[in-house]
């Protein structure tokens, strides 16, 4: 048995580190946290200084048992979990649960998995930092108290199975507030004047800085320019520079990977985690933009060898975030000489992005020559302005250019020229064409995952380790949707002056197209409004940022964590009791108007199964004999209770509708949980995307049914007389057996068509006995979203002894 046991968080990291250490070390993984607060309401003893009760979950008991055995046999145990607060807490849990001793336990940290970093860490061990542990415990306890006390209030006052969280609720508020800002925004139109001078390669654009709100004013300007003389009034040429962005922090990596690679925040962190564990990049949860001296020297060597001395410029960036605490270096490659990496395409693309950003941060500024020409109009007092920019030295742009959240909008409005032709002051210019194009003002953009992370960081809410789980949580809880939405056609006017004539035309553009944007759901908006009204402190931006600062103070040993929790909990608990007792139920309901046909009120509200429109009063008010019950219709995808109109609401009652007959059976179009569909002969056929269910005609419905049947027929390989429900089908990953509730993989050496019923049955029996951790075709099944929490049943006290963090 090795003298030393080194425990890390992940098996991939363990494998990498094991290659760097000799036979004296056994490296094992804890697979993350080995214990957590018990699920019952007595997890935190509020009256006893917030003492916590922990338990080792069933799936970790074997790991704990193995680690205990190895720890007893080892002379020294090294705790090597991540260097942030979460990692420090994992080390403490290991120390406590495994029954380790101070004299034979050492804590080491490193921000990159290289042989030199591991060796240096082992040469410089320390003890567990209980200030960091206390900070993590404070966050965990506070968030558990908020969740356990707020959720039951939402069940009673809004809807069963809802839940609330401190940072998540603030994120939802940001998205709800932005959606309402967009809904209230009043679009204003104005005409943008752009002139084109010269011919061929000598042509360039110039723009009028002012815009005209009225068409007649824009037309008057063009009319005045018909016989006008245009001259270069002034020329200004000046050198400009542009510097590179700092190396990546967690949030800037998430933002840039979203913009450049199209990665979600959670995907970015998952891929970065693998790169870190394989020893390819430094630790990926960090607020710091600092690079170590070793990294600076390595970057200089690469830049001078690849591009030359003039491309190198030493820079030391300083972290702007006051609460930066998660790590001590920016995200960078561990070895700058590796310009790319092996692995899957996602790993390679993210690694190259990190490499380019880090290397560019140590490169020279890009140098430009910017020219601004003002052009006079003999018949008008205004001047046109032409901008041109010439790159004189590419510098860091040889490697990397940072993206912007507003790139799409900027490109469409860009009136600058890449380069201006040679011009002289007083030079006469020939007008080729001038246009006045109607442009519309835009509301603030909806959040993407990346821009939401940026906003949370700006407000001081959350930390590098919380951004990705926060964004995943609000989507999993059904408060926020990330989706694409098609735009709507919009007409705009264009006036064109050419050859002395003004031509007027109306064009159409597609506006309001959304790609991977975050939208609040109705239930998200209702829960948000309820929390704002009754628990404003929880969703107040300043309060949430203040709590994060208090966690930082605990991490620095400046604040006692139990005092901080007590100052929060006392008034919060009083709010919970007051709201539970006195608050009215919230359903976001509103009246839309009177239905002309029935004379009854049409209203919209949240129900048990989501938002719906109702004609008539609720049943409890209509039990008078002879009165009809209310009629209900669910809202369609993309519709919200706040913005649905009376006309849109009444359209919902046109479904389900019969669209004709096929094979002597009715075809009915309706909308269900998974979208619009056609029902025919007890079978369901989804409508293709983009087809409005109200517009479906008989011929089109028959075509959809036939196409679906054809696809199903092509998918079928074989059925069995012994049991027609058992089938061999073509699937996404190849042929497989559908046997009762099982999807069974067919071995590669077996021909699907030749399988007998008995052979299929035998394969199904083998598959049923296999561990359930694998999905259809031997790949790991994707984890299911956790169900909404229900009131915890009273449990017997957990066997694990309750523990309180002590300094």
């Amino acid at each position: 048995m090795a003298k030393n046991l080194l425990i890390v968080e992940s098996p991939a990291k363990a494998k990498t580190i094991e290659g760097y250490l000799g036979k004296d070390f056994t490296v094992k993984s804890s697979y993350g946290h080995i214990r957590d607060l018990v699920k019952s309401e007595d997890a935190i003893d509020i009256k006893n200084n917030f003492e916590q009760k922990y338990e080792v979950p069933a799936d970790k008991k074997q790991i704990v048992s193995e680690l205990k055995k190895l720890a007893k046999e080892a002379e020294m145990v090294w705790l090597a979990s991540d260097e942030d607060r979460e990692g420090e807490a994992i080390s403490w849990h290991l120390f406590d649960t495994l029954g380790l001793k101070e004299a034979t336990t050492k804590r080491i940290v490193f921000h990159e998995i290289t042989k030199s970093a591991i060796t240096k860490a082992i040469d410089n061990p320390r003890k567990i930092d209980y200030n960091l542990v206390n900070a993590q415990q404070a966050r965990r306890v506070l968030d558990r108290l908020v969740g356990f006390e707020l959720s039951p209030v939402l069940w009673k006052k809004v809807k069963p199975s809802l839940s609330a969280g401190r940072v998540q609720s603030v994120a939802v508020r940001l998205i709800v507030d932005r959606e309402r800002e967009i809904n209230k925004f009043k679009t204003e139109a104005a005409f943008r004047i752009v002139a084109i001078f010269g011919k061929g390669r000598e042509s360039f654009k110039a723009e009028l800085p002012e815009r005209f709100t009225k068409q007649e004013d824009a037309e008057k300007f063009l009319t005045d320019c018909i016989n006008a003389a245009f001259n270069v009034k002034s020329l200004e040429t000046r050198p400009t520079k542009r510097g590179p962005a700092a190396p990546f922090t967690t949030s800037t990596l998430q933002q840039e990977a979203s913009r450049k690679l199209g990665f979600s925040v959670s995907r970015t962190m998952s891929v970065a985690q693998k790169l870190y564990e394989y020893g390819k990049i430094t630790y990926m949860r960090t607020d710091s933009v600092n690079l170590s001296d070793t990294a600076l020297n390595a970057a200089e060597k690469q830049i001078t060898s690849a591009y030359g001395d003039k491309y190198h410029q030493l820079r030391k960036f300083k972290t702007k975030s006051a609460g930066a605490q998660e790590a001590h270096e920016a995200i960078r490659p561990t070895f700058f000489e590796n310009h790319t990496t092996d692995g899957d395409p996602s790993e390679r693309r993210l690694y190259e992005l990190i490499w380019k950003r880090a290397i560019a941060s140590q490169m020279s500024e890009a140098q430009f020559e910017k020219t601004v020409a003002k052009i006079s109009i003999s018949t008008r007092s205004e001047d046109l302005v032409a901008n041109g920019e010439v790159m004189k030295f590419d510098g860091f742009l040889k490697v990397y250019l940072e993206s912007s959240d507003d790139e799409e909008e900027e490109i469409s409005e860009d009136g600058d020229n890449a380069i201006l032709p040679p011009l002289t002051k007083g030079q006469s210019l020939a007008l080729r064409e001038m246009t006045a194009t109607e442009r519309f003002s835009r509301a603030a953009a909806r959040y993407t995952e990346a821009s939401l992370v940026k906003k949370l960081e700006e407000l001081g809410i959350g930390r590098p380790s919380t951004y990705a789980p926060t964004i995943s949580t609000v989507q999993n809880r059904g408060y926020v949707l990330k989706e694409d939405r098609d735009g709507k056609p919009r007409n705009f006017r264009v006036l064109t002056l050419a050859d002395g004539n003004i031509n007027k035309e109306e064009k159409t553009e597609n506006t309001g197209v959304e790609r991977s944007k975050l939208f609040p759901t109705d239930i998200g908006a209702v829960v948000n409004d309820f929390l704002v009204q009754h628990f404003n402190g929880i969703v107040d931006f300043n309060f949430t940022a203040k709590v994060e600062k208090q966690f930082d103070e605990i991490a620095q040993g400046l604040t006692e964590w139990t005092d901080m929790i007590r100052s929060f909990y006392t008034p919060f608990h009083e709010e919970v009791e007051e709201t539970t007792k006195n608050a009215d139920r919230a359903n976001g309901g509103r009246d839309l108007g009177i239905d002309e046909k029935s004379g009854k009120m049409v209203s919209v509200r949240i129900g048990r199964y989501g938002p719906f429109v109702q004609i008539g009063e609720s049943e409890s008010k209509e039990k008078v004999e002879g009165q009809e019950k209310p009629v209900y219709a669910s809202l369609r995808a993309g519709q919200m209770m706040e913005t649905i109109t009376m006309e849109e609401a009444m359209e919902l009652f046109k479904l389900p509708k019969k669209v004709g007959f096929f094979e002597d059976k009715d075809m009915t179009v309706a909308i269900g949980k998974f979208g619009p569909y056609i029902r025919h002969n007890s079978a369901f056929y989804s409508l293709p995307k983009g087809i409005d269910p109200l517009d479906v005609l008989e011929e089109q419905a028959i075509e959809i049914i036939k196409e679906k049947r054809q696809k199903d027929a092509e998918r079928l390989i074989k059925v069995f007389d012994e049991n027609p429900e058992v089938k061999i089908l073509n699937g996404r990953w190849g042929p497989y057996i559908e046997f009762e509730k099982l999807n069974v993989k067919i071995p590669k050496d077996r021909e699907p068509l030749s399988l007998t019923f008995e052979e299929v049955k035998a394969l199904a029996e083998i598959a049923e006995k296999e561990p359930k951790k694998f999905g259809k075709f031997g790949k790991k099944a994707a984890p299911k979203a956790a169900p909404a929490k229900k009131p915890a049943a009273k449990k017997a006290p957990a066997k694990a002894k309750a523990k309180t963090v002590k300094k």
Side-chain angles (χ1 to χ4, degrees):
M1 180 62 203
K3 295 179 181 178
N4 299 279
L5 172 64
L6 189 144
I7 305 174
V8 293
E9 292 179 34
S10 75
K13 192 190 297 184
K15 189 176 180 181
T16 307
I17 293 173
E18 205 162 36
Y20 298 139
L21 300 174
K23 60 182 179 179
D24 287 341
F25 278 84
T26 296
V27 184
K28 291 292 179 181
S29 167
S30 70
Y31 292 82
H33 278 281
I34 59 164
R35 69 178 186 182
D36 197 5
L37 292 170
V38 297
K39 303 297 183 187
S40 55
E41 293 178 358
D42 61 347
I44 299 163
D45 190 346
I46 295 159
K47 295 179 181 178
N48 193 18
N49 218 25
F50 301 99
E51 186 174 298
Q52 306 117 58
K53 188 181 290 184
Y54 288 99
E55 66 180 354
V56 176
D59 63 339
K60 290 296 180 75
K61 286 183 178 178
Q62 187 177 342
I63 295 167
V64 170
S65 178
E66 182 188 1
L67 292 176
K68 274 185 178 179
K69 181 176 179 293
L70 293 172
K72 283 181 181 178
E73 295 171 355
E75 294 177 13
M76 184 65 67
V77 178
W78 304 77
L79 302 176
S81 50
D82 291 339
E83 63 175 329
D84 55 13
R85 296 174 192 167
E86 200 74 23
E88 204 70 23
I90 288 173
S91 280
W92 171 72
H93 283 300
L94 284 165
F95 181 86
D96 199 59
T97 307
L98 302 182
L100 304 180
K101 297 176 182 178
E102 290 275 358
T104 56
T105 305
K106 293 181 179 180
R107 168 81 169 116
I108 60 170
V109 294
F110 40 83
H111 69 273
E112 64 183 45
I113 303 176
T114 59
K115 187 170 184 178
S116 60
I118 303 301
T119 304
K120 184 178 178 181
I122 288 174
D123 290 340
N124 297 277
R126 61 171 173 81
K127 298 296 182 184
I128 292 172
D129 185 339
Y130 282 97
N131 289 329
L132 292 179
V133 175
N134 288 340
Q136 192 274 342
Q137 293 293 90
R139 177 188 291 279
R140 187 75 185 90
V141 168
L142 189 147
D143 287 346
R144 170 61 74 89
L145 290 172
V146 169
F148 260 56
E149 297 220 357
L150 263 190
S151 297
V153 179
L154 295 178
W155 303 339
K156 293 176 183 176
K157 302 298 181 180
V158 184
K159 184 174 172 279
S161 301
L162 295 176
S163 55
R166 185 177 54 86
V167 178
Q168 296 93 319
S169 296
V170 174
V172 173
R173 182 177 184 179
L174 284 168
I175 294 164
V176 170
D177 287 352
R178 177 58 57 86
E179 190 69 21
R180 287 173 176 163
E181 182 185 345
I182 293 168
N183 290 336
K184 290 178 182 176
F185 184 79
K186 301 295 183 186
T187 300
E188 295 179 353
F191 286 84
R192 174 182 178 231
I193 308 291
V194 175
I196 300 177
F197 294 98
K199 295 181 179 180
R201 292 185 178 180
E202 296 295 304
S203 66
F204 65 96
K205 290 187 290 186
E207 184 175 344
L208 185 71
E210 300 87 3
R211 295 197 178 189
F212 296 109
T213 56
K214 296 179 181 178
Q215 180 177 331
E216 49 265 36
D217 292 336
E219 190 173 350
K220 175 70 165 58
F221 184 90
L222 264 59
T223 302
D224 290 345
C225 290
I226 290 176
N227 295 313
F230 299 92
N231 296 90
V232 178
K233 183 177 180 180
S234 66
L235 275 172
E236 181 187 353
T237 301
R238 52 187 170 83
T240 61
K241 295 179 179 180
R242 190 185 304 171
F248 283 129
T249 62
T250 301
S251 70
T252 55
L253 175 64
Q254 290 169 348
Q255 292 165 47
E256 196 73 340
S258 172
R259 292 186 291 238
K260 274 188 158 57
L261 308 180
F263 285 9
S264 68
V265 167
S266 59
R267 184 182 179 193
T268 297
M269 295 311 292
S270 175
V271 176
Q273 179 86 34
K274 290 179 185 176
L275 292 173
Y276 169 63
E277 290 173 353
Y278 297 151
K280 295 176 180 179
I281 64 170
T282 53
Y283 192 52
M284 66 287 155
R285 294 189 183 96
T286 174
D287 276 332
S288 176
V289 291
N290 177 51
L291 291 177
S292 65
D293 290 340
T294 302
L296 293 173
N297 293 333
E300 179 181 3
K301 185 178 179 181
Q302 280 303 305
I303 293 165
T304 53
S305 64
Y307 310 114
D309 291 342
K310 66 178 181 177
Y311 278 93
H312 176 256
Q313 184 176 332
L314 177 67
R315 282 190 187 80
K316 293 190 177 182
F317 294 90
K318 290 186 178 180
T319 302
K320 295 178 182 178
S321 172
Q325 49 77 31
E326 297 288 355
H328 308 294
E329 196 170 3
I331 304 169
R332 63 165 175 83
T334 48
F335 301 106
F336 277 97
E337 58 266 32
N338 297 331
H339 295 207
T340 186
T341 185
D342 51 8
D344 65 36
S346 295
E347 291 168 23
R348 189 165 58 251
R349 293 173 72 203
L350 191 67
Y351 176 86
E352 289 172 1
L353 187 68
I354 292 167
W355 184 89
K356 289 176 182 178
R357 176 82 164 220
I359 207 83
S361 75
Q362 298 304 307
M363 293 180 71
S364 305
E365 294 172 322
Q367 298 175 11
F368 300 87
E369 184 178 83
K370 187 174 179 66
T371 302
V372 179
K374 289 189 177 180
I375 299 164
S376 63
I377 308 167
S378 62
T379 55
R380 301 282 301 198
S381 59
E382 302 96 334
D383 295 328
L384 297 168
V385 178
N387 292 297
E389 192 173 65
V390 179
M391 183 188 291
K392 294 296 186 181
F393 176 63
D394 54 1
F396 76 94
L397 292 177
K398 183 177 279 292
V399 174
Y400 180 82
L401 174 63
E402 184 181 24
S403 299
S404 163
D405 284 320
D406 303 318
E407 272 188 339
E408 292 181 12
E409 287 82 354
E410 288 173 357
I411 290 170
S412 64
E413 294 297 326
D414 186 9
D416 289 357
N417 304 272
I419 186 171
L420 286 173
L423 297 172
T424 56
K425 187 176 180 180
Q427 178 180 344
S428 177
L429 299 172
L431 178 68
R432 191 172 89 196
E433 182 181 279
M434 184 179 288
T435 58
T437 306
E438 188 177 25
R439 299 285 74 183
F440 300 88
S441 58
R442 283 187 288 250
R446 289 181 174 89
Y447 288 108
T448 60
E449 288 189 353
S451 62
L452 181 60
V453 166
K454 183 178 180 181
K455 185 66 176 179
L456 289 170
E457 187 180 41
E458 286 174 359
L459 293 171
I461 295 167
R463 287 295 180 262
S465 60
T466 65
Y467 299 137
T470 294
I471 287 173
S472 296
T473 298
V474 297
Q475 293 178 61
N476 291 339
R477 287 178 175 173
Y479 295 155
V480 171
L481 292 174
K482 183 175 84 168
E483 60 184 17
D484 299 341
R485 291 192 182 175
D486 297 330
K488 297 179 180 178
R490 176 174 64 187
N491 295 331
F492 66 99
R493 294 165 289 177
V494 181
L495 311 178
T496 305
L497 167 61
D499 300 325
N501 297 309
I502 296 175
N503 178 52
K504 303 176 187 178
E505 59 182 324
E506 193 169 273
K507 296 183 177 181
T508 302
E509 62 184 354
N510 198 26
T511 183
V513 176
E514 302 285 11
R515 295 289 177 259
S516 296
K517 294 293 179 68
L518 299 176
F519 296 85
T521 63
D522 283 306
I523 193 63
V526 171
V527 168
N528 173 74
D529 291 348
F530 183 83
L531 294 177
V532 169
Q533 182 180 354
H534 299 287
F535 298 95
N536 192 50
I538 296 296
V539 289
D540 179 77
F541 305 135
N542 294 327
F543 168 79
T544 311
K546 179 185 173 185
V547 169
E548 295 291 352
K549 289 179 181 177
Q550 289 175 324
F551 291 149
D552 294 338
E553 290 170 0
I554 294 167
Q556 295 161 22
L558 302 175
T559 300
E560 170 58 42
W561 77 271
T562 53
D563 292 342
M564 177 259 175
I565 296 294
R566 190 174 293 105
S567 67
F568 163 82
Y569 180 74
T570 303
F572 168 69
H573 183 66
E574 290 174 357
E575 277 186 324
V576 169
E577 291 187 324
E578 170 67 21
T579 304
T580 303
K581 186 178 179 181
N582 298 318
D584 295 329
R585 284 189 61 84
N587 59 24
R590 67 187 183 98
D591 293 335
L592 301 179
I594 302 296
D595 173 27
E596 293 181 1
K597 197 171 181 180
S598 66
K600 294 181 179 181
M601 178 60 71
V602 179
S603 57
V604 61
R605 58 176 53 78
I606 284 279
R608 186 175 180 183
Y609 302 105
F612 65 91
V613 177
Q614 173 179 316
I615 300 177
E617 297 295 334
S618 60
E619 291 185 43
S620 60
K621 295 181 181 179
E622 292 211 350
K623 288 189 177 178
V624 180
E625 191 175 343
Q627 283 192 331
E628 296 179 8
K629 291 183 178 180
V631 183
Y632 305 97
S634 297
L635 268 63
R636 294 170 63 180
Q639 290 182 327
M640 285 197 72
M641 295 193 306
E642 291 183 25
T643 55
I644 191 169
T645 63
M646 180 70 171
E647 292 73 22
E648 290 169 339
M650 296 311 295
E651 285 286 310
L652 299 174
F653 292 98
K654 293 181 179 179
L655 296 175
K657 72 166 186 175
K658 291 181 182 179
V659 293
F661 293 91
F662 178 51
E663 298 173 347
D664 297 324
K665 300 283 185 180
D666 286 332
M667 294 184 294
T668 304
V669 177
I671 297 177
K673 185 178 180 181
F674 303 105
Y677 64 87
I678 299 167
R679 186 175 72 248
H680 174 259
N681 195 20
S682 301
F684 298 87
Y685 304 86
S686 295
L687 286 185
K689 189 176 179 182
I691 295 180
D692 191 316
L694 292 170
D695 296 337
V696 175
L697 301 175
E698 183 178 67
E699 189 176 322
Q700 189 178 21
I702 293 170
E703 190 64 31
I704 290 168
I705 291 170
K706 286 181 176 179
E707 284 182 11
K708 176 66 166 55
R709 286 179 178 177
Q710 180 66 28
K711 286 181 182 178
D712 289 346
E714 291 170 357
R715 190 166 163 252
L716 182 66
I717 296 174
K718 187 175 183 178
V719 292
F720 297 90
D721 294 335
E722 293 91 334
N723 186 346
E725 295 298 314
V726 177
K727 301 169 187 173
I728 299 179
L729 302 169
N730 257 320
R732 186 176 174 185
W733 292 283
Y736 70 98
I737 301 162
E738 188 179 86
F739 193 99
E740 295 177 352
K741 293 183 179 180
L742 285 176
N743 289 337
V744 183
K745 184 180 179 181
I746 298 173
K748 289 182 179 179
D749 59 348
R750 307 294 290 273
E751 170 58 43
L753 201 58
S754 66
L755 288 172
T756 66
F757 182 75
E758 291 303 320
E759 289 172 327
V760 164
K761 189 177 178 182
L763 288 171
E765 287 172 355
I766 293 169
E768 193 160 23
K769 293 175 184 176
E770 288 179 349
K772 300 300 181 188
K773 63 179 180 179
F774 293 98
K776 281 185 187 177
F777 308 117
K779 295 179 180 285
K780 283 190 178 179
K784 292 182 180 179
K789 291 180 181 178
K790 297 181 179 179
K794 293 288 182 181
K795 293 182 181 178
K799 289 182 180 180
K801 187 180 176 182
K803 297 287 181 180
T804 305
V805 183
K806 294 180 181 178
K807 296 180 187 176

